[in-house]
Protein backbone atom coordinates (compact mmCIF):
# COMPACT_ATOMS: atom_id res chain seq x y z
CA UNK A 1 0.00 0.00 0.00
CA UNK A 2 1.21 3.47 -0.65
CA UNK A 3 0.00 6.78 0.60
CA UNK A 4 0.43 10.05 -1.16
CA UNK A 5 -1.41 13.31 -0.72
CA UNK A 6 -3.56 11.68 1.94
CA UNK A 7 -4.94 9.05 -0.42
CA UNK A 8 -4.21 5.35 -0.11
CA UNK A 9 -3.62 3.28 -3.17
CA UNK A 10 -2.27 -0.11 -3.97
CA UNK A 11 0.90 -0.55 -5.99
CA UNK A 12 2.09 -3.84 -7.42
CA UNK A 13 5.38 -3.83 -9.28
CA UNK A 14 6.28 -6.51 -11.77
CA UNK A 15 9.58 -6.93 -13.49
CA UNK A 16 9.09 -7.89 -17.09
CA UNK A 17 11.65 -10.20 -18.55
CA UNK A 18 13.03 -9.95 -22.04
CA UNK A 19 10.18 -10.28 -24.48
CA UNK A 20 9.68 -13.77 -25.78
CA UNK A 21 7.91 -14.62 -29.00
CA UNK A 22 4.52 -15.51 -27.53
CA UNK A 23 2.98 -12.87 -25.37
CA UNK A 24 0.86 -15.43 -23.55
CA UNK A 25 4.06 -17.22 -22.58
CA UNK A 26 5.68 -14.16 -21.10
CA UNK A 27 2.55 -13.25 -19.18
CA UNK A 28 2.55 -16.68 -17.55
CA UNK A 29 6.27 -16.65 -16.89
CA UNK A 30 6.10 -13.38 -15.06
CA UNK A 31 3.04 -14.40 -13.11
CA UNK A 32 5.28 -16.30 -10.76
CA UNK A 33 7.45 -13.26 -10.28
CA UNK A 34 4.50 -11.07 -9.46
CA UNK A 35 3.83 -10.39 -5.85
CA UNK A 36 2.82 -7.53 -3.69
CA UNK A 37 5.80 -5.53 -2.57
CA UNK A 38 6.06 -3.24 0.38
CA UNK A 39 8.28 -0.21 0.67
CA UNK A 40 11.55 -1.95 1.60
CA UNK A 41 11.30 -4.44 -1.22
CA UNK A 42 10.86 -1.81 -3.89
CA UNK A 43 14.54 -0.94 -3.89
CA UNK A 44 15.48 -4.62 -3.98
CA UNK A 45 13.17 -5.10 -6.91
CA UNK A 46 14.70 -2.29 -8.87
CA UNK A 47 18.15 -3.66 -8.13
CA UNK A 48 17.16 -7.04 -9.54
CA UNK A 49 15.87 -5.27 -12.60
CA UNK A 50 19.38 -3.96 -13.20
CA UNK A 51 19.46 -6.39 -16.09
CA UNK A 52 19.43 -3.97 -19.04
CA UNK A 53 16.68 -5.85 -20.79
CA UNK A 54 13.96 -5.51 -18.23
CA UNK A 55 11.24 -3.02 -18.14
CA UNK A 56 8.99 -2.81 -15.14
CA UNK A 57 5.34 -2.14 -14.76
CA UNK A 58 3.82 -0.69 -11.64
CA UNK A 59 0.12 -1.41 -11.34
CA UNK A 60 -1.60 1.18 -9.23
CA UNK A 61 -5.07 0.49 -8.03
CA UNK A 62 -6.79 3.69 -7.06
CA UNK A 63 -10.38 4.19 -6.05
CA UNK A 64 -12.15 6.63 -8.33
CA UNK A 65 -14.35 9.06 -6.42
CA UNK A 66 -16.29 9.81 -9.60
CA UNK A 67 -16.99 6.26 -10.79
CA UNK A 68 -17.00 4.68 -7.34
CA UNK A 69 -14.93 1.73 -8.51
CA UNK A 70 -11.26 0.78 -8.32
CA UNK A 71 -9.36 1.92 -11.38
CA UNK A 72 -6.23 0.31 -12.74
CA UNK A 73 -3.36 2.57 -13.70
CA UNK A 74 -0.16 1.29 -15.26
CA UNK A 75 3.19 2.99 -15.05
CA UNK A 76 5.41 1.28 -17.55
CA UNK A 77 9.12 1.98 -17.34
CA UNK A 78 11.79 1.08 -19.86
CA UNK A 79 14.99 -0.62 -18.82
CA UNK A 80 16.69 2.73 -18.27
CA UNK A 81 13.96 3.80 -15.85
CA UNK A 82 12.39 6.35 -18.14
CA UNK A 83 8.65 6.35 -18.65
CA UNK A 84 7.27 4.36 -21.55
CA UNK A 85 4.51 6.21 -23.38
CA UNK A 86 4.12 3.95 -26.38
CA UNK A 87 0.86 2.06 -26.07
CA UNK A 88 2.14 -0.67 -28.39
CA UNK A 89 4.58 -1.65 -25.67
CA UNK A 90 1.74 -2.22 -23.23
CA UNK A 91 0.13 -4.62 -25.69
CA UNK A 92 3.44 -6.32 -26.44
CA UNK A 93 4.57 -6.77 -22.87
CA UNK A 94 1.42 -7.23 -20.87
CA UNK A 95 -1.69 -8.10 -22.78
CA UNK A 96 -2.28 -11.81 -23.36
CA UNK A 97 -2.99 -12.60 -27.01
CA UNK A 98 -6.60 -13.55 -26.47
CA UNK A 99 -7.36 -10.28 -24.69
CA UNK A 100 -5.90 -7.94 -27.27
CA UNK A 101 -9.00 -7.56 -29.31
CA UNK A 102 -11.24 -7.15 -26.29
CA UNK A 103 -9.07 -4.42 -24.90
CA UNK A 104 -8.64 -2.39 -28.04
CA UNK A 105 -12.30 -2.72 -28.99
CA UNK A 106 -13.29 -0.90 -25.81
CA UNK A 107 -15.59 -3.71 -24.89
CA UNK A 108 -16.44 -4.66 -21.34
CA UNK A 109 -13.04 -3.44 -20.28
CA UNK A 110 -13.12 0.16 -21.35
CA UNK A 111 -10.35 1.71 -23.36
CA UNK A 112 -6.68 1.50 -22.49
CA UNK A 113 -5.37 5.03 -22.88
CA UNK A 114 -2.99 7.53 -21.39
CA UNK A 115 -3.93 9.93 -18.66
CA UNK A 116 -2.66 11.91 -15.73
CA UNK A 117 -2.13 9.78 -12.63
CA UNK A 118 -4.69 11.04 -10.12
CA UNK A 119 -2.23 11.04 -7.24
CA UNK A 120 1.30 11.48 -8.55
CA UNK A 121 0.20 13.77 -11.39
CA UNK A 122 2.52 12.01 -13.81
CA UNK A 123 1.71 10.44 -17.17
CA UNK A 124 0.54 6.82 -17.19
CA UNK A 125 -1.81 4.33 -18.83
CA UNK A 126 -5.15 3.36 -17.43
CA UNK A 127 -8.18 1.28 -18.19
CA UNK A 128 -11.07 3.68 -18.48
CA UNK A 129 -13.53 2.90 -15.71
CA UNK A 130 -16.72 3.84 -17.52
CA UNK A 131 -17.60 0.21 -18.21
CA UNK A 132 -16.45 -1.19 -14.89
CA UNK A 133 -19.59 -0.50 -12.86
CA UNK A 134 -21.74 -2.30 -15.42
CA UNK A 135 -19.30 -5.19 -15.82
CA UNK A 136 -19.10 -5.62 -12.03
CA UNK A 137 -22.86 -5.52 -11.81
CA UNK A 138 -23.13 -8.35 -14.30
CA UNK A 139 -20.76 -10.58 -12.42
CA UNK A 140 -21.74 -9.85 -8.85
CA UNK A 141 -25.39 -9.03 -9.26
CA UNK A 142 -27.87 -9.88 -6.59
CA UNK A 143 -25.49 -10.76 -3.82
CA UNK A 144 -23.65 -8.77 -1.25
CA UNK A 145 -19.90 -9.08 -1.53
CA UNK A 146 -17.16 -8.36 0.95
CA UNK A 147 -14.48 -5.90 -0.08
CA UNK A 148 -12.11 -8.78 -0.66
CA UNK A 149 -14.52 -10.62 -2.94
CA UNK A 150 -15.21 -7.39 -4.77
CA UNK A 151 -11.53 -6.87 -5.44
CA UNK A 152 -11.07 -10.42 -6.69
CA UNK A 153 -13.98 -10.03 -9.04
CA UNK A 154 -12.61 -6.69 -10.15
CA UNK A 155 -9.19 -8.22 -10.76
CA UNK A 156 -10.81 -10.87 -12.89
CA UNK A 157 -12.73 -8.30 -14.87
CA UNK A 158 -10.01 -5.71 -15.39
CA UNK A 159 -6.66 -6.99 -14.30
CA UNK A 160 -6.28 -10.09 -16.41
CA UNK A 161 -6.35 -8.07 -19.60
CA UNK A 162 -3.12 -6.37 -18.67
CA UNK A 163 -1.26 -9.16 -16.98
CA UNK A 164 -2.36 -8.58 -13.42
CA UNK A 165 -3.56 -11.73 -11.74
CA UNK A 166 -4.62 -12.64 -8.27
CA UNK A 167 -2.16 -15.06 -6.66
CA UNK A 168 -3.14 -18.56 -7.73
CA UNK A 169 -3.36 -19.78 -4.14
CA UNK A 170 -6.47 -17.67 -3.64
CA UNK A 171 -9.81 -19.12 -4.44
CA UNK A 172 -11.31 -17.77 -7.64
CA UNK A 173 -14.89 -16.59 -7.15
CA UNK B 1 -36.73 30.35 -10.99
CA UNK B 2 -37.70 33.64 -12.57
CA UNK B 3 -36.80 34.26 -16.16
CA UNK B 4 -34.71 37.26 -15.22
CA UNK B 5 -32.67 35.00 -12.95
CA UNK B 6 -32.21 32.65 -15.88
CA UNK B 7 -31.14 35.61 -17.95
CA UNK B 8 -28.60 36.58 -15.32
CA UNK B 9 -27.13 33.08 -15.35
CA UNK B 10 -27.07 33.16 -19.11
CA UNK B 11 -25.22 36.49 -19.14
CA UNK B 12 -22.78 35.11 -16.59
CA UNK B 13 -22.09 32.14 -18.82
CA UNK B 14 -21.49 34.48 -21.75
CA UNK B 15 -19.02 36.49 -19.70
CA UNK B 16 -17.14 33.38 -18.73
CA UNK B 17 -16.91 32.27 -22.35
CA UNK B 18 -15.82 35.76 -23.36
CA UNK B 19 -13.05 35.71 -20.79
CA UNK B 20 -9.60 35.46 -22.27
CA UNK B 21 -5.97 35.78 -21.31
CA UNK B 22 -3.28 37.56 -23.31
CA UNK B 23 -0.25 35.31 -23.73
CA UNK B 24 3.28 36.35 -24.58
CA UNK B 25 5.03 33.23 -25.81
CA UNK B 26 8.73 32.90 -26.44
CA UNK B 27 10.75 30.03 -27.77
CA UNK B 28 12.96 28.25 -25.25
CA UNK B 29 16.41 29.80 -25.56
CA UNK B 30 18.04 26.35 -25.67
CA UNK B 31 16.27 25.70 -28.97
CA UNK B 32 16.63 29.14 -30.42
CA UNK B 33 19.16 29.99 -33.12
CA UNK B 34 19.50 33.60 -32.12
CA UNK B 35 21.46 34.49 -29.04
CA UNK B 36 18.96 37.10 -27.95
CA UNK B 37 15.48 36.02 -27.07
CA UNK B 38 13.30 35.16 -29.98
CA UNK B 39 10.48 37.48 -30.83
CA UNK B 40 7.41 36.93 -28.77
CA UNK B 41 4.20 35.50 -30.13
CA UNK B 42 1.31 37.46 -28.73
CA UNK B 43 -2.16 36.02 -28.67
CA UNK B 44 -5.37 36.44 -26.73
CA UNK B 45 -6.71 33.00 -25.79
CA UNK B 46 -10.11 32.15 -24.33
CA UNK B 47 -9.98 30.89 -20.78
CA UNK B 48 -12.05 27.86 -21.67
CA UNK B 49 -9.66 26.80 -24.39
CA UNK B 50 -6.64 24.49 -24.40
CA UNK B 51 -3.00 25.24 -25.17
CA UNK B 52 -2.37 22.47 -27.73
CA UNK B 53 -4.90 24.15 -30.06
CA UNK B 54 -2.33 26.93 -30.48
CA UNK B 55 0.54 24.72 -31.50
CA UNK B 56 0.18 24.72 -35.28
CA UNK B 57 0.28 28.52 -35.39
CA UNK B 58 3.04 28.81 -32.84
CA UNK B 59 5.18 26.21 -34.55
CA UNK B 60 4.79 28.01 -37.86
CA UNK B 61 5.81 31.28 -36.21
CA UNK B 62 8.90 29.93 -34.47
CA UNK B 63 10.06 27.44 -37.05
CA UNK B 64 12.56 29.82 -38.57
CA UNK B 65 14.14 30.33 -35.15
CA UNK B 66 14.60 26.66 -34.41
CA UNK B 67 18.12 25.26 -34.41
CA UNK B 68 16.79 21.96 -35.72
CA UNK B 69 13.47 22.66 -37.40
CA UNK B 70 13.28 19.28 -39.11
CA UNK B 71 13.73 17.35 -35.90
CA UNK B 72 10.40 18.34 -34.45
CA UNK B 73 6.80 18.96 -35.32
CA UNK B 74 3.99 21.13 -33.99
CA UNK B 75 2.68 18.40 -31.73
CA UNK B 76 6.08 18.13 -30.02
CA UNK B 77 5.34 21.53 -28.56
CA UNK B 78 4.85 22.00 -24.83
CA UNK B 79 4.62 25.09 -22.66
CA UNK B 80 6.23 26.00 -19.39
CA UNK B 81 5.85 28.78 -16.87
CA UNK B 82 8.77 29.42 -14.56
CA UNK B 83 10.21 26.08 -15.65
CA UNK B 84 7.10 24.13 -14.70
CA UNK B 85 5.63 22.19 -17.62
CA UNK B 86 1.98 23.13 -18.05
CA UNK B 87 -0.54 20.32 -18.20
CA UNK B 88 -2.06 20.62 -21.62
CA UNK B 89 -5.29 18.91 -20.65
CA UNK B 90 -6.13 21.69 -18.18
CA UNK B 91 -8.09 24.61 -19.63
CA UNK B 92 -6.01 27.77 -19.96
CA UNK B 93 -8.10 29.65 -17.42
CA UNK B 94 -7.41 27.02 -14.77
CA UNK B 95 -3.67 27.08 -15.50
CA UNK B 96 -3.63 30.85 -15.14
CA UNK B 97 -5.64 30.77 -11.90
CA UNK B 98 -3.24 28.19 -10.48
CA UNK B 99 0.16 29.37 -11.57
CA UNK B 100 0.27 32.99 -12.69
CA UNK B 101 0.24 34.39 -9.19
CA UNK B 102 -2.41 36.94 -10.02
CA UNK B 103 -4.70 38.37 -7.39
CA UNK B 104 -8.16 37.12 -8.23
CA UNK B 105 -10.95 39.65 -8.69
CA UNK B 106 -12.81 39.90 -5.43
CA UNK B 107 -16.08 41.77 -5.24
CA UNK B 108 -15.92 42.08 -1.48
CA UNK B 109 -12.43 43.50 -1.47
CA UNK B 110 -12.86 45.91 -4.33
CA UNK B 111 -16.27 46.98 -3.17
CA UNK B 112 -17.69 46.88 -6.67
CA UNK B 113 -19.76 44.45 -8.68
CA UNK B 114 -18.07 41.56 -10.40
CA UNK B 115 -17.19 42.86 -13.82
CA UNK B 116 -15.72 39.53 -14.80
CA UNK B 117 -12.56 41.24 -15.89
CA UNK B 118 -9.69 40.76 -13.51
CA UNK B 119 -7.26 41.53 -16.29
CA UNK B 120 -7.52 45.30 -15.92
CA UNK B 121 -6.54 45.28 -12.26
CA UNK B 122 -3.39 43.13 -12.49
CA UNK B 123 -0.96 44.53 -15.05
CA UNK B 124 2.11 42.70 -13.79
CA UNK B 125 0.90 39.18 -14.45
CA UNK B 126 -0.45 40.09 -17.87
CA UNK B 127 0.33 39.31 -20.56
CA UNK B 128 1.11 35.87 -19.15
CA UNK B 129 4.63 35.05 -20.25
CA UNK B 130 5.11 31.45 -21.29
CA UNK B 131 7.93 29.52 -22.92
CA UNK B 132 7.28 27.06 -25.70
CA UNK B 133 9.58 24.08 -26.29
CA UNK B 134 9.70 21.64 -29.16
CA UNK B 135 12.26 19.18 -27.80
CA UNK B 136 12.85 17.27 -24.57
CA UNK B 137 9.25 16.40 -23.99
CA UNK B 138 8.78 15.98 -20.21
CA UNK B 139 7.37 12.49 -20.50
CA UNK B 140 7.18 11.94 -16.75
CA UNK B 141 4.68 14.71 -16.39
CA UNK B 142 2.94 15.12 -19.71
CA UNK B 143 1.22 12.66 -21.98
CA UNK B 144 2.58 13.05 -25.50
CA UNK B 145 0.45 14.66 -28.15
CA UNK B 146 -0.15 13.27 -31.63
CA UNK B 147 -0.26 15.05 -34.95
CA UNK B 148 -4.03 14.72 -35.36
CA UNK B 149 -5.07 16.18 -32.04
CA UNK B 150 -6.53 12.87 -30.95
CA UNK B 151 -4.93 12.83 -27.51
CA UNK B 152 -6.37 16.24 -26.75
CA UNK B 153 -9.79 15.25 -27.99
CA UNK B 154 -9.71 12.00 -26.01
CA UNK B 155 -8.71 13.80 -22.84
CA UNK B 156 -11.54 16.29 -23.31
CA UNK B 157 -14.03 13.52 -24.04
CA UNK B 158 -12.94 11.56 -20.99
CA UNK B 159 -13.55 14.63 -18.89
CA UNK B 160 -16.98 15.14 -20.39
CA UNK B 161 -17.79 11.47 -19.73
CA UNK B 162 -16.62 11.75 -16.17
CA UNK B 163 -18.67 14.88 -15.53
CA UNK B 164 -21.67 13.10 -17.03
CA UNK B 165 -21.14 10.06 -14.83
CA UNK B 166 -20.83 12.24 -11.75
CA UNK B 167 -24.08 14.04 -12.58
CA UNK B 168 -26.27 11.02 -13.17
CA UNK B 169 -24.34 7.99 -11.87
CA UNK B 170 -24.44 6.46 -15.31
CA UNK B 171 -22.45 6.76 -18.51
CA UNK B 172 -25.62 6.46 -20.60
CA UNK B 173 -26.23 10.17 -21.08
CA UNK B 174 -22.86 11.00 -22.60
CA UNK B 175 -22.62 7.73 -24.49
CA UNK B 176 -26.12 8.47 -25.79
CA UNK B 177 -25.06 11.72 -27.47
CA UNK B 178 -25.06 11.17 -31.18
CA UNK B 179 -21.96 11.66 -33.30
CA UNK B 180 -23.14 15.13 -34.31
CA UNK B 181 -23.59 16.32 -30.77
CA UNK B 182 -20.40 14.92 -29.40
CA UNK B 183 -18.39 16.45 -32.24
CA UNK B 184 -20.23 19.71 -31.82
CA UNK B 185 -19.25 20.15 -28.19
CA UNK B 186 -15.58 19.97 -29.11
CA UNK B 187 -16.07 22.24 -32.09
CA UNK B 188 -17.57 24.73 -29.67
CA UNK B 189 -14.23 24.80 -27.87
CA UNK B 190 -12.11 24.82 -31.03
CA UNK B 191 -14.13 27.64 -32.57
CA UNK B 192 -14.93 29.29 -29.26
CA UNK B 193 -18.63 29.36 -30.01
CA UNK B 194 -21.07 29.27 -27.14
CA UNK B 195 -24.02 28.84 -29.48
CA UNK B 196 -22.62 25.45 -30.51
CA UNK B 197 -21.99 24.48 -26.92
CA UNK B 198 -25.28 25.25 -25.22
CA UNK B 199 -27.64 22.94 -27.13
CA UNK B 200 -25.45 19.93 -26.34
CA UNK B 201 -24.78 21.10 -22.79
CA UNK B 202 -28.53 21.32 -22.23
CA UNK B 203 -28.94 17.68 -23.27
CA UNK B 204 -26.20 16.65 -20.89
CA UNK B 205 -27.72 18.57 -18.01
CA UNK B 206 -31.33 17.56 -18.51
CA UNK B 207 -31.64 13.93 -19.59
CA UNK B 208 -35.26 12.79 -19.42
CA UNK B 209 -36.08 10.67 -16.43
CA UNK B 210 -32.79 11.14 -14.58
CA UNK B 211 -32.30 13.36 -11.58
CA UNK B 212 -29.12 15.20 -10.77
CA UNK B 213 -27.13 13.05 -8.36
CA UNK B 214 -23.87 14.94 -7.88
CA UNK B 215 -22.17 18.10 -9.05
CA UNK B 216 -18.98 17.81 -11.10
CA UNK B 217 -16.50 19.83 -9.10
CA UNK B 218 -12.78 19.47 -8.64
CA UNK B 219 -10.53 21.43 -6.32
CA UNK B 220 -6.92 22.25 -7.06
CA UNK B 221 -4.48 23.21 -4.38
CA UNK B 222 -0.99 24.30 -5.35
CA UNK B 223 1.01 22.71 -2.60
CA UNK B 224 2.36 25.17 -0.16
CA UNK B 225 0.18 23.72 2.54
CA UNK B 226 1.66 20.74 4.41
CA UNK B 227 -0.30 17.49 4.01
CA UNK B 228 -1.31 17.40 7.67
CA UNK B 229 -3.18 20.67 7.31
CA UNK B 230 -5.64 19.15 4.93
CA UNK B 231 -8.21 16.51 5.54
CA UNK B 232 -10.64 15.44 2.90
CA UNK B 233 -12.98 12.67 4.00
CA UNK B 234 -12.14 9.49 2.09
CA UNK B 235 -15.11 8.06 0.23
CA UNK B 236 -16.05 4.57 1.29
CA UNK B 237 -15.65 2.09 -1.55
CA UNK B 238 -18.90 0.22 -1.55
CA UNK B 239 -20.41 -2.74 0.18
CA UNK B 240 -18.04 -2.80 3.13
CA UNK B 241 -15.54 -0.37 4.53
CA UNK B 242 -11.97 -1.62 4.39
CA UNK B 243 -10.57 -3.09 7.60
CA UNK B 244 -8.07 -0.81 9.29
CA UNK B 245 -4.58 -1.51 8.01
CA UNK B 246 -2.44 -3.09 10.72
CA UNK B 247 0.75 -1.78 9.12
CA UNK B 248 0.91 2.00 9.35
CA UNK B 249 2.13 3.48 6.11
CA UNK B 250 4.50 6.36 5.84
CA UNK B 251 3.11 9.14 3.75
CA UNK B 252 5.21 10.34 0.87
CA UNK B 253 5.65 14.10 1.06
CA UNK B 254 4.43 16.04 -1.99
CA UNK B 255 7.24 17.29 -4.20
CA UNK B 256 7.79 21.02 -4.29
CA UNK B 257 5.58 22.89 -6.71
CA UNK B 258 3.14 20.04 -7.13
CA UNK B 259 -0.56 20.27 -7.25
CA UNK B 260 -3.03 18.43 -5.04
CA UNK B 261 -6.33 17.62 -6.60
CA UNK B 262 -9.40 16.96 -4.51
CA UNK B 263 -12.49 15.36 -5.80
CA UNK B 264 -15.37 13.82 -4.01
CA UNK B 265 -19.04 13.44 -4.73
CA UNK B 266 -21.13 16.44 -3.79
CA UNK B 267 -24.89 16.14 -4.24
CA UNK B 268 -26.92 19.22 -5.22
CA UNK B 269 -28.54 19.33 -1.80
CA UNK B 270 -27.33 18.83 1.72
CA UNK B 271 -28.19 15.44 3.14
CA UNK B 272 -31.14 15.85 5.41
CA UNK B 273 -34.08 13.90 6.68
CA UNK B 274 -36.82 16.27 5.65
CA UNK B 275 -38.49 16.84 2.33
CA UNK B 276 -37.12 20.35 2.12
CA UNK B 277 -33.39 19.87 1.97
CA UNK B 278 -31.16 22.85 1.59
CA UNK B 279 -29.28 23.23 -1.65
CA UNK B 280 -25.52 23.05 -1.38
CA UNK B 281 -23.76 26.33 -1.69
CA UNK B 282 -20.14 26.55 -2.66
CA UNK B 283 -19.44 27.19 1.01
CA UNK B 284 -21.22 24.09 2.30
CA UNK B 285 -19.56 21.99 -0.38
CA UNK B 286 -16.07 23.28 0.43
CA UNK B 287 -16.73 22.83 4.11
CA UNK B 288 -17.58 19.20 3.41
CA UNK B 289 -14.65 18.52 1.08
CA UNK B 290 -11.91 20.52 2.79
CA UNK B 291 -13.10 21.31 6.31
CA UNK B 292 -9.65 22.31 7.53
CA UNK B 293 -9.29 24.95 4.85
CA UNK B 294 -12.93 26.01 4.89
CA UNK B 295 -14.04 25.78 8.50
CA UNK B 296 -16.80 28.29 7.95
CA UNK B 297 -19.57 27.67 5.43
CA UNK B 298 -20.25 31.36 5.04
CA UNK B 299 -16.95 33.24 5.14
CA UNK B 300 -13.57 32.38 3.74
CA UNK B 301 -11.14 32.41 6.65
CA UNK B 302 -8.06 30.60 5.41
CA UNK B 303 -8.53 30.08 1.69
CA UNK B 304 -10.39 31.47 -1.28
CA UNK B 305 -12.15 29.57 -4.06
CA UNK B 306 -11.18 31.00 -7.45
CA UNK B 307 -13.03 30.26 -10.64
CA UNK B 308 -12.34 32.03 -13.94
CA UNK B 309 -10.09 34.52 -12.21
CA UNK B 310 -12.60 35.65 -9.63
CA UNK B 311 -13.25 34.75 -6.02
CA UNK B 312 -16.62 33.06 -5.86
CA UNK B 313 -18.85 33.99 -2.94
CA UNK B 314 -19.40 31.03 -0.65
CA UNK B 315 -23.11 31.72 -0.74
CA UNK B 316 -23.34 30.85 -4.45
CA UNK B 317 -25.75 28.03 -5.21
CA UNK B 318 -23.64 25.08 -6.32
CA UNK B 319 -26.05 23.64 -8.85
CA UNK B 320 -26.47 27.02 -10.53
CA UNK B 321 -22.72 27.48 -10.64
CA UNK B 322 -22.37 24.15 -12.36
CA UNK B 323 -25.03 25.01 -14.90
CA UNK B 324 -23.83 28.48 -15.72
CA UNK B 325 -20.08 28.66 -15.26
CA UNK B 326 -18.66 25.19 -15.59
CA UNK B 327 -15.85 24.79 -18.10
CA UNK B 328 -16.61 23.19 -21.46
CA UNK B 329 -16.01 19.69 -20.09
CA UNK B 330 -18.76 20.24 -17.51
CA UNK B 331 -16.54 20.59 -14.48
CA UNK B 332 -16.18 23.40 -11.99
CA UNK B 333 -12.39 23.49 -11.84
CA UNK B 334 -11.83 25.55 -8.71
CA UNK B 335 -8.40 26.82 -7.74
CA UNK B 336 -7.96 27.15 -4.01
CA UNK B 337 -5.76 30.07 -2.99
CA UNK B 338 -4.48 30.52 0.52
CA UNK B 339 -5.28 33.88 2.04
CA UNK B 340 -2.75 36.26 3.52
Amino acid sequence: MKVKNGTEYLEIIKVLGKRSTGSVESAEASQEAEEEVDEEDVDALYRCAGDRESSTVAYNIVFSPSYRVPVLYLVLRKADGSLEQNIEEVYKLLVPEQQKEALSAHGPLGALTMTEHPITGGACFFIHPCQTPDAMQEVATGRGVSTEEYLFIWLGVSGGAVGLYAPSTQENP
Amino acid sequence: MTSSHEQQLSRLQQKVWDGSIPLEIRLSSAECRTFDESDAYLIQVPRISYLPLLLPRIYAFFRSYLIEPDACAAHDGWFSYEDVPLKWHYPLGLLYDLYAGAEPANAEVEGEGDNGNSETSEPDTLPWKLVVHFTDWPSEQLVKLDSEGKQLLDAFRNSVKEAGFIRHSTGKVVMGLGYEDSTQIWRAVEEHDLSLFNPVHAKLLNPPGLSLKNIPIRLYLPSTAAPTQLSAPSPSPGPASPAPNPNPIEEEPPAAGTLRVFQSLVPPSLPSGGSRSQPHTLGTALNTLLPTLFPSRRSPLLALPVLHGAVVPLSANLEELARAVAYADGFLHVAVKMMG
Side-chain angles (χ1 to χ4, degrees):
Chain A
M1 285 290 283
K2 292 185 90 167
V3 182
K4 189 157 182 159
N5 291 346
T7 310
E8 289 186 333
Y9 65 103
L10 186 65
E11 176 164 86
I12 299 170
I13 299 180
K14 186 157 99 174
V15 178
L16 303 165
K18 197 169 160 186
R19 232 220 107 208
S20 52
T21 44
S23 57
V24 175
E25 263 169 78
S26 60
E28 281 169 1
S30 39
Q31 193 179 346
E32 270 121 303
E34 182 241 279
E35 58 188 15
E36 207 176 294
V37 291
D38 58 330
E39 299 294 322
E40 295 85 58
D41 285 352
V42 170
D43 288 340
L45 201 58
Y46 279 120
R47 278 200 292 278
C48 294
D51 165 8
R52 289 274 149 198
E53 308 286 351
S54 355
S55 17
T56 60
V57 60
Y59 299 98
N60 283 184
I61 302 172
V62 187
F63 182 73
S64 161
S66 309
Y67 291 96
R68 315 287 284 167
V69 290
V71 180
L72 187 56
Y73 296 87
L74 299 98
V75 185
L76 194 60
R77 287 194 181 281
K78 302 187 241 211
D80 63 5
S82 65
L83 193 73
E84 177 65 73
Q85 283 212 19
N86 186 349
I87 200 170
E88 289 304 319
E89 290 297 304
V90 181
Y91 281 99
K92 258 170 57 181
L93 293 169
L94 297 175
V95 182
E97 203 61 50
Q98 63 264 35
Q99 299 271 27
K100 278 185 175 161
E101 227 183 273
L103 198 54
S104 53
H106 311 181
L109 291 163
L112 175 71
T113 43
M114 290 220 76
T115 191
E116 174 189 36
H117 193 290
I119 298 174
T120 66
C124 63
F125 293 97
F126 83 133
I127 296 185
H128 198 278
C130 58
Q131 312 281 20
T132 309
D134 290 337
M136 290 300 296
Q137 190 90 323
E138 270 186 46
V139 179
T141 194
R143 54 190 172 112
V145 287
S146 68
T147 308
E148 205 179 303
E149 281 179 288
Y150 182 96
L151 275 176
F152 276 116
I153 297 174
W154 177 85
L155 270 177
V157 169
S158 312
V162 285
L164 182 64
Y165 304 95
S168 49
T169 49
Q170 298 284 352
E171 169 196 349
N172 259 342
Chain B
M1 170 118 20
T2 64
S3 66
S4 72
H5 189 61
E6 276 298 325
Q7 278 168 9
Q8 268 189 325
L9 289 180
S10 174
R11 276 199 298 270
L12 191 53
Q13 186 194 36
Q14 185 69 59
K15 271 193 184 166
V16 165
W17 271 66
D18 288 342
S20 64
I21 297 180
L23 299 182
E24 187 179 303
I25 300 171
R26 288 197 157 76
L27 183 60
S28 144
S29 49
E31 301 177 24
C32 187
R33 274 190 308 107
T34 64
F35 289 119
D36 305 340
E37 303 190 303
S38 71
D39 286 344
Y41 186 90
L42 303 171
I43 183 171
Q44 194 89 14
V45 181
R47 276 176 158 276
I48 54 101
S49 186
Y50 295 85
L51 286 171
L53 291 172
L54 304 176
L55 285 172
R57 279 172 278 187
I58 293 186
Y59 177 74
F61 181 81
F62 284 118
R63 201 184 141 86
S64 56
Y65 287 93
L66 287 169
I67 297 174
E68 284 183 80
D70 295 323
C72 57
H75 65 273
D76 292 317
W78 55 281
F79 297 87
S80 65
Y81 176 68
E82 293 188 345
D83 295 324
V84 176
L86 296 180
K87 292 178 194 286
W88 54 256
H89 60 288
Y90 285 12
L92 179 66
L94 174 62
L95 289 170
Y96 181 81
D97 289 345
L98 288 171
Y99 296 120
E103 272 307 303
N106 194 337
E108 274 165 54
V109 168
E110 291 162 18
E112 56 192 9
D114 171 40
N115 63 1
N117 198 0
S118 60
E119 281 82 304
T120 50
S121 55
E122 272 309 309
D124 29 328
T125 56
L126 292 175
W128 198 24
K129 296 185 174 62
L130 302 181
V131 174
V132 68
H133 313 247
F134 290 98
T135 59
D136 288 325
W137 184 275
S139 43
E140 280 295 329
Q141 292 106 310
L142 299 183
V143 173
K144 287 191 178 140
L145 294 168
D146 61 295
S147 56
E148 279 114 48
K150 195 174 174 299
Q151 285 286 5
L152 177 61
L153 179 55
D154 278 352
F156 179 75
R157 283 214 172 115
N158 275 342
S159 217
V160 173
K161 274 191 212 173
E162 191 177 348
F165 195 96
I166 292 173
R167 276 188 215 107
H168 300 110
S169 294
T170 171
K172 280 192 304 205
V173 181
V174 178
M175 297 311 274
L177 281 183
Y179 176 76
E180 289 263 330
D181 281 342
S182 82
T183 331
Q184 187 167 310
I185 204 173
W186 178 240
R187 260 182 58 219
V189 174
E190 283 182 309
E191 296 169 30
H192 190 223
D193 188 337
L194 185 54
S195 71
L196 292 176
F197 176 76
N198 269 332
V200 186
H201 188 52
K203 289 187 191 178
L204 291 175
L205 290 180
N206 309 305
L210 291 173
S211 59
L212 182 63
K213 298 283 186 324
N214 294 288
I215 308 282
I217 180 170
R218 202 176 264 160
L219 308 176
Y220 299 82
L221 189 68
S223 76
T224 41
T228 48
Q229 284 180 7
L230 306 165
S231 56
S234 346
S236 62
S241 299
N245 193 331
N247 307 315
I249 299 154
E250 258 189 50
E251 162 123 20
E252 280 181 39
T258 50
L259 195 60
R260 297 183 58 163
V261 182
F262 289 90
Q263 188 171 336
S264 195
L265 292 182
V266 184
S269 303
L270 288 159
S272 93
S275 53
R276 297 172 93 229
S277 40
Q278 297 279 13
H280 258 298
T281 60
L282 184 60
T284 57
L286 291 173
N287 176 252
T288 309
L289 293 174
L290 292 176
T292 327
L293 284 184
F294 294 96
S296 159
R297 298 165 161 205
R298 281 193 290 249
S299 323
L301 298 175
L302 301 167
L304 294 168
V306 177
L307 194 57
H308 308 300
V311 175
V312 185
L314 293 189
S315 55
N317 177 298
L318 194 64
E319 186 179 340
E320 286 182 2
L321 273 182
R323 277 200 293 120
V325 298
Y327 281 83
D329 58 4
F331 271 93
L332 291 169
H333 295 290
V334 179
V336 176
K337 297 219 106 115
M338 302 305 293
M339 288 168 73

